[in-house]
Amino acid sequence: MEKLRGVGVALVTPFQDDLSVDFEALTRLIEFNIENGTNYLVAMGTTAEAATLSTEERSQVISHIIKANSGRLPLVLGIGGNNTAEVRHQIEAADLSEFEAVLSVSPYYNKPNQEGLYQHYKTLAETGKQIIIYNVPGRTGQNIDADTTLRLAGEFPNLFMIKEAAPNISQYFDILRKKPAHFSLCSGDDEYTLPVTLAGGSGVISVIAQAYPKEFSDMVQLAFSRKVDEAYEIHNRLVDITRLIFAEGNPCGIKTVLAEKGIIKNNLRLPLVKASDILQEKIRNEMREISF
């Protein structure tokens, strides 16, 4: 899908000091990304701390993102879980009129085998909705093998993309080599964005890009244009801050960066906590080192 090409940003959910949702900060974050070249926005991903939001809060945040975006960028909505029947129900019940697609993480905790993963996404595909497969074994405890992804891609045209975040970059390349023409792969690992895009990927759904949207978007567009040296110059400047924001888990690192930029307050909901003082200082030092 051409609309979901380039840099997608997995938005954080900003919180006030009392841990209520900070809607003004969310608006600032959206405007900052729209003004600086982000191609599309992802609501209710892992980075949004969606697991700690009530049903009412999730609805309020989604509505606010739609309103603040005002049709300017394509939107993707995260709907996932480890109860296949419930995820299917949520997808069927959701108002997706403002969204290009659903991003659905593979079932976590249950640890299904490859046939179980295939059957899960087959069931979701039967909704007829446009769905992005999301493979992030570091969080789910189970990898979607390349063969399973390719099987799904070949049989269900509405499973049109995978956000791939396996720790083994060979898996990205195996999918890119063998995928059908209609199927896209975007990087789910910020550090792999450039090599994966150069190998034929469609870009990234990124965490760090919401803090450096212009730089990250420029890098991906340079990759599309095959301007490799210029793209790697940006990659090399951002690689250390990218590693730092994930050093103690996501989204505590990116919230530190966004707070330093004055876009949000550095608040998270339990069981997540702020980055350690040591990590925050490393992040501040690296932010001062980055020059564009």
Side-chain angles (χ1 to χ4, degrees), residues 1-20:
M1 185 183 291
E2 194 64 28
K3 289 183 177 179
L4 304 182
R5 179 174 166 84
V7 174
V9 159
L11 294 166
V12 303
T13 302
F15 297 123
Q16 300 277 14
D17 291 336
D18 65 1
L19 298 185
S20 62

Side-chain angles (χ1 to χ4, degrees), residues 7 63 110 134 164-165 207-208 216 226 259 271:
V7 174
S63 295
N110 312 47
Y134 181 15
E164 180 60 79
V207 177
I208 191 63
F216 225 76
R226 319 309 291 175

Side-chain angles (χ1 to χ4, degrees), residues 1 152-161 179-184:
M1 185 183 291
L152 289 163
E155 294 182 18
F156 304 102
N158 59 319
L159 299 178
F160 69 98
M161 180 189 284
K179 70 178 183 63
H182 76 271
F183 190 76
S184 298

Side-chain angles (χ1 to χ4, degrees), residues 89-281:
H89 170 73
Q90 289 180 16
I91 291 172
E92 290 175 330
D95 179 0
L96 299 176
S97 58
E98 299 290 337
F99 294 90
E100 299 298 325
V102 168
L103 175 67
S104 195
V105 70
S106 65
Y108 42 82
Y109 190 72
N110 312 47
K111 298 189 75 172
N113 64 15
Q114 295 303 306
E115 183 61 25
L117 291 167
Y118 168 84
Q119 292 295 335
H120 173 82
Y121 281 107
K122 175 179 182 290
T123 300
L124 302 190
E126 289 168 353
T127 65
K129 307 299 184 182
Q130 296 295 304
I131 294 171
I132 302 169
I133 301 166
Y134 181 15
N135 183 38
V136 56
R139 286 189 177 272
T140 64
Q142 185 73 309
N143 181 52
I144 306 175
D145 292 347
D147 287 346
T148 301
T149 297
L150 293 165
R151 182 184 176 193
L152 289 163
E155 294 182 18
F156 304 102
N158 59 319
L159 299 178
F160 69 98
M161 180 189 284
I162 184 167
K163 177 186 177 185
E164 180 60 79
N168 179 6
I169 200 168
S170 303
Q171 181 161 302
Y172 299 63
F173 296 151
D174 287 344
I175 295 168
L176 287 168
R177 282 190 301 111
K178 300 176 184 179
K179 70 178 183 63
H182 76 271
F183 190 76
S184 298
L185 180 148
C186 74
S187 179
D189 185 313
D190 286 353
E191 190 172 341
Y192 288 172
T193 300
L194 182 52
V196 168
T197 302
L198 289 169
S202 61
V204 63
I205 294 178
S206 173
V207 177
I208 191 63
Q210 65 197 295
Y212 295 96
K214 182 182 186 303
E215 294 80 5
F216 225 76
S217 296
D218 285 350
M219 180 187 73
V220 170
Q221 293 304 317
L222 287 166
F224 288 149
S225 300
R226 319 309 291 175
K227 296 180 179 178
V228 179
D229 291 344
E230 295 96 321
Y232 265 109
E233 184 178 344
I234 298 173
H235 167 90
N236 289 337
R237 291 183 187 179
L238 289 173
V239 70
D240 285 336
I241 193 70
T242 299
R243 290 175 180 173
L244 283 171
I245 67 162
F246 294 109
E248 293 179 3
N250 183 43
C252 73
I254 188 62
K255 283 197 163 181
T256 300
V257 176
L258 292 170
E260 288 295 316
K261 285 177 169 278
I263 298 171
I264 71 169
K265 294 181 178 179
N266 191 11
N267 295 317
L268 296 92
R269 284 185 177 176
L270 291 171
L272 300 181
V273 296
K274 294 179 185 179
S276 65
D277 291 344
I278 292 172
L279 179 58
Q280 289 191 53
E281 185 60 27

Side-chain angles (χ1 to χ4, degrees), residues 13 15 19-23 26-27 30 43-44 53-68 77 99 269:
T13 302
F15 297 123
L19 298 185
S20 62
V21 176
D22 187 343
F23 291 102
L26 183 55
T27 298
I30 291 168
M44 292 295 109
L53 299 176
S54 69
T55 300
E56 181 180 4
E57 286 174 327
R58 284 196 293 271
S59 179
Q60 290 172 342
V61 170
I62 291 166
S63 295
H64 188 84
I65 291 170
I66 292 169
K67 182 179 179 181
L77 179 61
F99 294 90
R269 284 185 177 176

